[in-house]
PDB file of all heavy atoms in Angstrom:
ATOM      1  N   TYR E  36     -41.323  20.802 229.823  1.00 98.00           N
ATOM      2  CA  TYR E  36     -40.786  20.401 231.112  1.00 98.00           C
ATOM      3  C   TYR E  36     -41.946  19.929 231.985  1.00 98.00           C
ATOM      4  O   TYR E  36     -43.080  20.379 231.843  1.00 98.00           O
ATOM      5  CB  TYR E  36     -40.108  21.578 231.828  1.00 98.00           C
ATOM      6  CG  TYR E  36     -38.767  21.989 231.265  1.00 98.00           C
ATOM      7  CD1 TYR E  36     -38.684  22.888 230.205  1.00 98.00           C
ATOM      8  CD2 TYR E  36     -37.585  21.506 231.811  1.00 98.00           C
ATOM      9  CE1 TYR E  36     -37.459  23.281 229.694  1.00 98.00           C
ATOM     10  CE2 TYR E  36     -36.351  21.898 231.309  1.00 98.00           C
ATOM     11  CZ  TYR E  36     -36.303  22.781 230.252  1.00 98.00           C
ATOM     12  OH  TYR E  36     -35.075  23.170 229.751  1.00 98.00           O
ATOM     13  N   GLN E  38     -42.968  19.839 236.100  1.00 97.00           N
ATOM     14  CA  GLN E  38     -42.585  20.403 237.389  1.00 97.00           C
ATOM     15  C   GLN E  38     -43.479  19.851 238.483  1.00 97.00           C
ATOM     16  O   GLN E  38     -44.695  20.036 238.447  1.00 97.00           O
ATOM     17  CB  GLN E  38     -42.649  21.938 237.368  1.00 97.00           C
ATOM     18  CG  GLN E  38     -42.104  22.563 238.647  1.00 97.00           C
ATOM     19  CD  GLN E  38     -42.075  24.080 238.607  1.00 97.00           C
ATOM     20  OE1 GLN E  38     -42.899  24.718 237.958  1.00 97.00           O
ATOM     21  NE2 GLN E  38     -41.097  24.673 239.287  1.00 97.00           N
ATOM     22  N   TYR E  51     -37.839  21.256 217.283  1.00 92.00           N
ATOM     23  CA  TYR E  51     -37.132  22.325 216.574  1.00 92.00           C
ATOM     24  C   TYR E  51     -37.865  22.836 215.349  1.00 92.00           C
ATOM     25  O   TYR E  51     -37.659  23.990 214.952  1.00 92.00           O
ATOM     26  CB  TYR E  51     -35.741  21.842 216.157  1.00 92.00           C
ATOM     27  CG  TYR E  51     -34.816  21.625 217.331  1.00 92.00           C
ATOM     28  CD1 TYR E  51     -34.606  20.358 217.845  1.00 92.00           C
ATOM     29  CD2 TYR E  51     -34.178  22.701 217.943  1.00 92.00           C
ATOM     30  CE1 TYR E  51     -33.767  20.158 218.932  1.00 92.00           C
ATOM     31  CE2 TYR E  51     -33.334  22.505 219.026  1.00 92.00           C
ATOM     32  CZ  TYR E  51     -33.140  21.236 219.512  1.00 92.00           C
ATOM     33  OH  TYR E  51     -32.315  21.044 220.590  1.00 92.00           O
ATOM     34  N   GLN E  91     -37.461  29.242 222.827  1.00 92.00           N
ATOM     35  CA  GLN E  91     -36.161  29.884 222.743  1.00 92.00           C
ATOM     36  C   GLN E  91     -36.067  30.494 221.346  1.00 92.00           C
ATOM     37  O   GLN E  91     -36.275  29.807 220.345  1.00 92.00           O
ATOM     38  CB  GLN E  91     -35.069  28.834 222.948  1.00 92.00           C
ATOM     39  CG  GLN E  91     -33.683  29.359 223.166  1.00 92.00           C
ATOM     40  CD  GLN E  91     -32.716  28.225 223.446  1.00 92.00           C
ATOM     41  OE1 GLN E  91     -32.619  27.279 222.669  1.00 92.00           O
ATOM     42  NE2 GLN E  91     -31.998  28.308 224.551  1.00 92.00           N
ATOM     43  N   ARG E  95     -32.139  35.443 220.723  1.00 69.00           N
ATOM     44  CA  ARG E  95     -31.794  35.456 222.147  1.00 69.00           C
ATOM     45  C   ARG E  95     -31.622  34.008 222.580  1.00 69.00           C
ATOM     46  O   ARG E  95     -32.447  33.449 223.294  1.00 69.00           O
ATOM     47  CB  ARG E  95     -32.899  36.151 222.948  1.00 69.00           C
ATOM     48  CG  ARG E  95     -32.998  37.636 222.657  1.00 69.00           C
ATOM     49  CD  ARG E  95     -34.267  38.225 223.238  1.00 69.00           C
ATOM     50  NE  ARG E  95     -35.451  37.701 222.570  1.00 69.00           N
ATOM     51  CZ  ARG E  95     -35.874  38.117 221.391  1.00 69.00           C
ATOM     52  NH1 ARG E  95     -35.228  39.044 220.727  1.00 69.00           N
ATOM     53  NH2 ARG E  95     -36.969  37.594 220.852  1.00 69.00           N
ATOM     54  N   GLN E  97     -30.030  32.212 224.585  1.00 81.00           N
ATOM     55  CA  GLN E  97     -29.928  31.610 225.912  1.00 81.00           C
ATOM     56  C   GLN E  97     -31.272  31.543 226.636  1.00 81.00           C
ATOM     57  O   GLN E  97     -31.584  30.575 227.294  1.00 81.00           O
ATOM     58  CB  GLN E  97     -28.949  32.407 226.786  1.00 81.00           C
ATOM     59  CG  GLN E  97     -27.518  32.364 226.322  1.00 81.00           C
ATOM     60  CD  GLN E  97     -27.179  33.562 225.475  1.00 81.00           C
ATOM     61  OE1 GLN E  97     -28.041  34.363 225.159  1.00 81.00           O
ATOM     62  NE2 GLN E  97     -25.922  33.691 225.106  1.00 81.00           N
ATOM     63  N   LEU E  99     -34.937  31.177 227.921  1.00 94.00           N
ATOM     64  CA  LEU E  99     -36.177  30.438 227.745  1.00 94.00           C
ATOM     65  C   LEU E  99     -37.328  31.315 228.229  1.00 94.00           C
ATOM     66  O   LEU E  99     -37.243  31.889 229.317  1.00 94.00           O
ATOM     67  CB  LEU E  99     -36.174  29.141 228.552  1.00 94.00           C
ATOM     68  CG  LEU E  99     -35.225  28.026 228.099  1.00 94.00           C
ATOM     69  CD1 LEU E  99     -35.354  26.823 229.020  1.00 94.00           C
ATOM     70  CD2 LEU E  99     -35.501  27.626 226.663  1.00 94.00           C
TER      71      LEU E  99
ATOM     72  N   TYR X  35     -32.870  31.470 236.890  1.00 98.00           N
ATOM     73  CA  TYR X  35     -34.277  31.808 236.681  1.00 98.00           C
ATOM     74  C   TYR X  35     -34.912  31.978 238.053  1.00 98.00           C
ATOM     75  O   TYR X  35     -34.387  31.495 239.065  1.00 98.00           O
ATOM     76  CB  TYR X  35     -35.018  30.684 235.936  1.00 98.00           C
ATOM     77  CG  TYR X  35     -34.630  30.497 234.491  1.00 98.00           C
ATOM     78  CD1 TYR X  35     -33.476  29.790 234.143  1.00 98.00           C
ATOM     79  CD2 TYR X  35     -35.426  30.997 233.469  1.00 98.00           C
ATOM     80  CE1 TYR X  35     -33.122  29.607 232.821  1.00 98.00           C
ATOM     81  CE2 TYR X  35     -35.086  30.807 232.134  1.00 98.00           C
ATOM     82  CZ  TYR X  35     -33.935  30.110 231.829  1.00 98.00           C
ATOM     83  OH  TYR X  35     -33.597  29.927 230.501  1.00 98.00           O
ATOM     84  N   GLN X  37     -38.993  32.005 240.110  1.00 96.00           N
ATOM     85  CA  GLN X  37     -40.427  31.754 240.005  1.00 96.00           C
ATOM     86  C   GLN X  37     -41.077  32.264 241.267  1.00 96.00           C
ATOM     87  O   GLN X  37     -40.927  31.663 242.347  1.00 96.00           O
ATOM     88  CB  GLN X  37     -40.709  30.265 239.791  1.00 96.00           C
ATOM     89  CG  GLN X  37     -42.165  29.945 239.507  1.00 96.00           C
ATOM     90  CD  GLN X  37     -42.382  28.473 239.200  1.00 96.00           C
ATOM     91  OE1 GLN X  37     -41.677  27.600 239.713  1.00 96.00           O
ATOM     92  NE2 GLN X  37     -43.374  28.172 238.366  1.00 96.00           N
ATOM     93  N   GLU X  56     -26.272  37.276 228.579  1.00 92.00           N
ATOM     94  CA  GLU X  56     -27.598  37.870 228.394  1.00 92.00           C
ATOM     95  C   GLU X  56     -28.213  38.085 229.772  1.00 92.00           C
ATOM     96  O   GLU X  56     -27.983  37.291 230.681  1.00 92.00           O
ATOM     97  CB  GLU X  56     -28.482  36.936 227.550  1.00 92.00           C
ATOM     98  CG  GLU X  56     -29.797  37.533 227.120  1.00 92.00           C
ATOM     99  CD  GLU X  56     -30.616  36.594 226.232  1.00 92.00           C
ATOM    100  OE1 GLU X  56     -30.120  35.489 225.895  1.00 92.00           O
ATOM    101  OE2 GLU X  56     -31.739  36.954 225.877  1.00 92.00           O
ATOM    102  N   LEU X 101     -28.654  20.475 218.377  1.00 60.00           N
ATOM    103  CA  LEU X 101     -29.721  19.580 218.783  1.00 60.00           C
ATOM    104  C   LEU X 101     -29.696  19.233 220.268  1.00 60.00           C
ATOM    105  O   LEU X 101     -30.535  18.485 220.732  1.00 60.00           O
ATOM    106  CB  LEU X 101     -29.662  18.294 217.960  1.00 60.00           C
ATOM    107  CG  LEU X 101     -29.889  18.492 216.454  1.00 60.00           C
ATOM    108  CD1 LEU X 101     -29.798  17.158 215.730  1.00 60.00           C
ATOM    109  CD2 LEU X 101     -31.230  19.136 216.188  1.00 60.00           C
ATOM    110  N   ASN X 103     -29.298  21.620 223.095  1.00 79.00           N
ATOM    111  CA  ASN X 103     -29.140  22.827 223.893  1.00 79.00           C
ATOM    112  C   ASN X 103     -30.158  22.930 225.003  1.00 79.00           C
ATOM    113  O   ASN X 103     -30.418  24.000 225.516  1.00 79.00           O
ATOM    114  CB  ASN X 103     -29.216  24.068 222.995  1.00 79.00           C
ATOM    115  CG  ASN X 103     -30.563  24.179 222.302  1.00 79.00           C
ATOM    116  OD1 ASN X 103     -31.230  23.183 222.090  1.00 79.00           O
ATOM    117  ND2 ASN X 103     -30.959  25.384 221.954  1.00 79.00           N
ATOM    118  N   GLN X 105     -31.775  22.968 228.572  1.00 94.00           N
ATOM    119  CA  GLN X 105     -31.282  23.441 229.863  1.00 94.00           C
ATOM    120  C   GLN X 105     -31.808  22.514 230.951  1.00 94.00           C
ATOM    121  O   GLN X 105     -32.998  22.217 231.002  1.00 94.00           O
ATOM    122  CB  GLN X 105     -31.723  24.883 230.097  1.00 94.00           C
ATOM    123  CG  GLN X 105     -31.130  25.842 229.069  1.00 94.00           C
ATOM    124  CD  GLN X 105     -31.607  27.261 229.232  1.00 94.00           C
ATOM    125  OE1 GLN X 105     -32.084  27.669 230.290  1.00 94.00           O
ATOM    126  NE2 GLN X 105     -31.454  28.051 228.178  1.00 94.00           N
TER     127      GLN X 105
END
Side-chain angles (χ1 to χ4, degrees):
Chain E
Y36 286 86
Q38 186 176 31
Y51 292 99
Q91 192 176 54
R95 292 168 293 282
Q97 294 96 354
L99 291 180
Chain X
Y35 291 80
Q37 187 176 32
E56 189 177 357
L101 297 179
N103 62 334
Q105 297 177 20

